[in-house]
Amino acid sequence: MAEVKAALMEKEATLREERDRVAGWLAEAEGQTARVQGVIDVVENLSTKITDFTEEQRRDLLTMLDVRVQVMAPGKRQRQGKPDPLTEWHRETGTVVPLEITDEQWAQIDPLLPSSRQQGSPKREVFEAILGKLRTACAWNEVTVSANAWNAVRRRSEVWRTGGRWEEAMRVLGAVEGVPVPPLRTLPPMVVTGVVDPTYTTQALEERGEDQEAASCNRTFTTAQSSPR
């Protein structure tokens, strides 16, 4: 009886471990399904571009695509002209541009940046608009804020840069996630082809209870009809 009891307890422990592993797999699968559905919801409600995607949603979207890039020619240097001093400072120092600023981080750098004497857009809005300009390498006249013209934002960036305040703010934000300013060369002409992972194209069919044969047909059709985008 003692031997039988010991054997049963060992089997019970093994089954418990297996149950915990399966529960972990199910939780992970449910989390991935929720993330995919979040991306799908954004796409369905999107009118023009994916600029409303969060960074996580953009990464998730890329994981659902088999993306292939064919470069057709070398990239060309950006248009000549007077370089933007703030962009050049980031490029020369290797300082990354923060992706986003939390309320706690803003509370640290807010006192470092002098306010404008003129009434206009909130200081934080101007600061984040400058960050957006640095990340995208857009022209100053493409920068928009709620209550100021683009040239007011540029002047504010010069005041902060020449006074050393921008450097102080970047030093405070040194540990935050960021990206380097874009290189001096533009992207070369290329052909980008994206094919949807069949796992995601058949998911809706399977959830509606359609048979595996229909799902297989859908998978084959999707792959055959993929085209450059």
Side-chain angles (χ1 to χ4, degrees):
M1 290 295 294
E3 292 178 358
V4 172
K5 183 177 180 180
L8 289 175
M9 292 179 66
E10 183 178 354
K11 289 183 179 180
E12 182 182 8
T14 302
L15 289 173
R16 287 181 181 276
E17 292 178 0
E18 187 66 22
R19 182 194 63 183
D20 293 339
R21 281 198 296 270
V22 172
W25 294 339
L26 289 174
E28 182 180 357
E30 290 176 358
Q32 291 178 346
T33 300
R35 292 172 64 186
V36 170
Q37 188 59 50
V39 174
I40 292 174
D41 292 341
V42 173
V43 172
E44 290 178 346
N45 296 325
L46 203 60
S47 58
T48 52
K49 300 181 181 180
I50 63 170
T51 52
D52 292 335
F53 273 39
T54 64
E55 291 296 325
E56 183 179 17
Q57 287 173 328
R58 293 178 187 180
R59 287 193 294 266
D60 288 342
L61 182 59
L62 288 177
T63 62
M64 291 189 286
L65 297 175
D66 177 13
V67 180
R68 301 182 183 182
V69 180
Q70 181 180 4
V71 179
M72 308 302 293
K76 296 181 179 180
R77 190 177 179 86
Q78 293 180 353
R79 60 184 183 276
Q80 298 295 323
K82 185 178 179 180
D84 173 49
L86 192 56
T87 301
E88 288 301 303
W89 177 84
H90 275 269
R91 183 174 289 119
E92 292 172 0
T93 61
T95 304
V96 298
V97 183
L99 293 175
E100 59 182 0
I101 302 297
T102 65
D103 293 340
E104 292 76 11
Q105 291 164 343
W106 176 248
Q108 291 180 285
I109 62 177
D110 185 12
L112 302 176
L113 305 173
S115 301
S116 173
R117 296 179 180 178
Q118 299 177 348
Q119 295 295 328
S121 302
K123 192 198 311 183
R124 180 171 180 175
E125 182 183 355
V126 174
F127 181 79
E128 292 182 338
I130 296 172
L131 292 181
K133 181 259 186 295
L134 293 172
R135 286 194 301 267
T136 60
C138 67
W140 277 111
N141 59 9
E142 296 173 330
V143 177
T144 58
V145 290
S146 60
N148 285 112
W150 63 267
N151 51 2
V153 179
R154 183 177 63 178
R155 287 195 300 270
R156 182 56 33 196
S157 74
E158 276 298 288
V159 170
W160 291 343
R161 182 187 67 84
T162 56
R165 303 302 182 88
W166 186 268
E167 182 177 353
E168 290 184 50
M170 292 300 106
R171 185 162 49 247
V172 170
L173 299 173
V176 73
E177 182 182 4
V179 295
V181 294
L184 292 173
R185 291 185 175 275
T186 60
L187 286 174
M190 60 183 68
V191 175
V192 180
T193 306
V195 181
V196 178
D197 187 330
T199 303
Y200 301 101
T201 62
T202 61
Q203 181 179 2
L205 287 175
E206 294 170 350
E207 289 178 349
R208 290 198 299 267
E210 299 189 20
D211 58 27
Q212 293 295 323
E213 181 179 357
S216 177
C217 291
N218 180 66
R219 177 162 49 248
T220 302
F221 177 79
T222 302
T223 303
Q225 296 298 318
S226 62
S227 59
R229 300 175 184 175

